[in-house]
Amino acid sequence: MSIESYILGLQKNPSPGKIGKIVLGGLELLAGIYEKGVVKKYEKVGRNARRMPIPVISVGNITAGGTGKTPCILKLAEMLHKKGHHPAILSRGYKSGLEKVGGVVSDGRSLRISQKLAGDEPYMMALKIPDVPVLVGRNRIISAEKAIKLGADILLLDDGFQYWDMKRDLDIVLIDCTNPFGYGYSLPRGLLREPMEALRRAHTFILTKSEQADVSVKTDIKKNLFRLAPQALILESFHSPSLLVPFNKWKKGIKEDCLSCQKGRRTFILSGIGNPEAFKETTLEAGLSPVGNMFFPDHHVYTSADMESAEMAAAYSGADLITVTEKDAVKMLNLSKAEDSKIPLYVLEIEMKFAENGEAQLQEQWEAFL
């Protein structure tokens, strides 16, 4: 077991035992130091934040791990594009080849760089929405200037709640209903990237994976959010499976949907994302029957050996197919073993949908500054 897995297990455990309590006590002291550092950095950087000449919408979260930022960014880009706007997506490109120096993944017409240079999520977004420019780089001020030269009239700041160098017109914070507040502690004792009070900066909260929480849980989440930011709009959303595409077709951009023809079949789940259990729930919603899984840490780089191990485990579990997310599929593009798997590999695409009239409410909110 890795140290990361051990700590995560302690964070989740309400009764960690004597040794676990000692470890958690140490982590709580580190969390206090971390919080002070974060607050100090925000106060210093925030004072000098730069205002861009076009509107900026930030999509972020307050917890580490997957909350559904990528589906949300894609949904907003689609909504803005349909309304005649020209959005561009600015991503850090975490652990990508261009994270430090920056670069253009897509200019809104064609892909310019490889997946390795772009990073997983930026490359995947560029594949899915070819009409929208996608840029990467730690310095998103420079990326913004490049995007404006490409014709962007609005900027979508991916994972931007802790990017304080740029002023934003709308701060959207995603709250994962399955773990809304990171066990109530900052890193490394919990999963909070900032103290809870930071949520006062938000203009909009979007509850993600709301279909996986009952009404009482969502009511409690909303009460906590209203207490911290009574001025903020609170919306509910859910992630819905949209397409199930054979990997060999997906990598060529062929959207051949196999959701209906594979319904009820046994699947082995292969994933390296922030919240693999949520993906498992999505496979169930798609009508598949999970019989086994192999979960890697977030941002895992797949190898041929990984694919061979997954194929063997899938065969042992009696699976008819192996299912991965789009984020996983991007990291398998250059692996021949992914194409030649004896158990067919499928990519399950998901999309964000708003509950009730959430989409209309969000559009009404941003019309004030667009």
Side-chain angles (χ1 to χ4, degrees), residues 165-197:
D165 295 277
M166 185 187 297
K167 291 185 182 294
R168 61 291 308 278
D169 298 272
L170 186 63
D171 241 324
I172 298 174
V173 177
L174 305 186
I175 304 293
D176 182 347
C177 286
T178 64
N179 186 9
F181 306 120
Y183 308 114
Y185 292 92
S186 292
L187 294 164
R189 171 60 180 85
L191 296 178
L192 289 174
R193 299 165 77 175
E194 294 186 74
M196 287 283 288
E197 289 71 24

Side-chain angles (χ1 to χ4, degrees), residues 58 78 86 88 119 127 150 154 198 200 234 259 276 293 321:
S58 166
E78 177 188 286
H86 301 285
L127 282 176
L150 290 172
I154 185 166
R200 300 183 194 280
I234 303 177
L259 262 178
N293 60 69
L321 64 151

Side-chain angles (χ1 to χ4, degrees), residues 99-235:
E99 180 183 359
K100 292 182 180 180
V101 298
V104 179
V105 181
S106 166
D107 57 9
R109 293 180 294 275
S110 61
L111 288 164
R112 287 190 175 185
I113 59 177
S114 67
Q115 174 270 332
K116 186 176 181 179
L117 288 174
D120 306 331
E121 289 96 337
Y123 195 82
M124 187 264 280
M125 289 189 285
L127 282 176
K128 283 186 73 73
I129 45 173
D131 296 332
V132 175
V134 179
L135 300 92
V136 294
R138 186 179 296 167
N139 188 328
R140 277 170 268 188
I141 300 292
I142 293 176
S143 293
E145 292 169 346
K146 292 177 182 177
I148 292 169
K149 289 180 180 178
L150 290 172
D153 60 11
I154 185 166
L155 303 171
L156 291 174
L157 192 58
D158 178 30
D159 197 10
F161 196 55
Q162 286 79 36
Y163 186 78
W164 305 313
D165 295 277
M166 185 187 297
K167 291 185 182 294
R168 61 291 308 278
D169 298 272
L170 186 63
D171 241 324
I172 298 174
V173 177
L174 305 186
I175 304 293
D176 182 347
C177 286
T178 64
N179 186 9
F181 306 120
Y183 308 114
Y185 292 92
S186 292
L187 294 164
R189 171 60 180 85
L191 296 178
L192 289 174
R193 299 165 77 175
E194 294 186 74
M196 287 283 288
E197 289 71 24
L199 292 175
R200 300 183 194 280
R201 303 197 308 265
H203 301 106
T204 304
F205 295 111
I206 299 179
L207 307 189
T208 63
K209 305 165 192 169
S210 63
E211 76 282 4
Q212 297 181 31
D214 60 36
V215 174
S216 62
V217 170
K218 289 184 282 189
T219 298
D220 286 342
I221 293 172
K222 291 176 182 179
K223 284 179 179 178
N224 277 300
L225 296 176
F226 182 79
R227 177 178 55 83
L228 289 164
Q231 80 290 346
L233 178 66
I234 303 177
L235 305 175

Side-chain angles (χ1 to χ4, degrees), residues 243-257 349:
L243 298 172
L244 183 64
V245 185
F247 176 78
N248 290 338
K249 300 285 180 70
W250 180 88
K251 68 178 294 185
K252 296 175 184 177
I254 302 171
K255 299 298 183 181
E256 178 184 296
D257 184 20
E349 297 190 20

Side-chain angles (χ1 to χ4, degrees), residues 224-301:
N224 277 300
L225 296 176
F226 182 79
R227 177 178 55 83
L228 289 164
Q231 80 290 346
L233 178 66
I234 303 177
L235 305 175
E236 289 187 32
S237 72
F238 54 94
H239 291 158
S240 177
S242 56
L243 298 172
L244 183 64
V245 185
F247 176 78
N248 290 338
K249 300 285 180 70
W250 180 88
K251 68 178 294 185
K252 296 175 184 177
I254 302 171
K255 299 298 183 181
E256 178 184 296
D257 184 20
C258 296
L259 262 178
S260 58
C261 61
Q262 297 293 347
K263 190 161 289 189
R265 302 198 75 193
R266 299 182 300 275
T267 187
F268 184 86
I269 302 170
L270 176 61
S271 186
I273 60 174
N275 192 342
E277 288 297 335
F279 180 54
K280 183 177 180 180
E281 290 295 324
T282 305
T283 62
L284 287 167
E285 187 183 345
L288 298 171
S289 178
V291 292
N293 60 69
M294 184 177 289
F295 293 155
F296 290 100
D298 198 13
H299 299 287
H300 178 71
V301 178

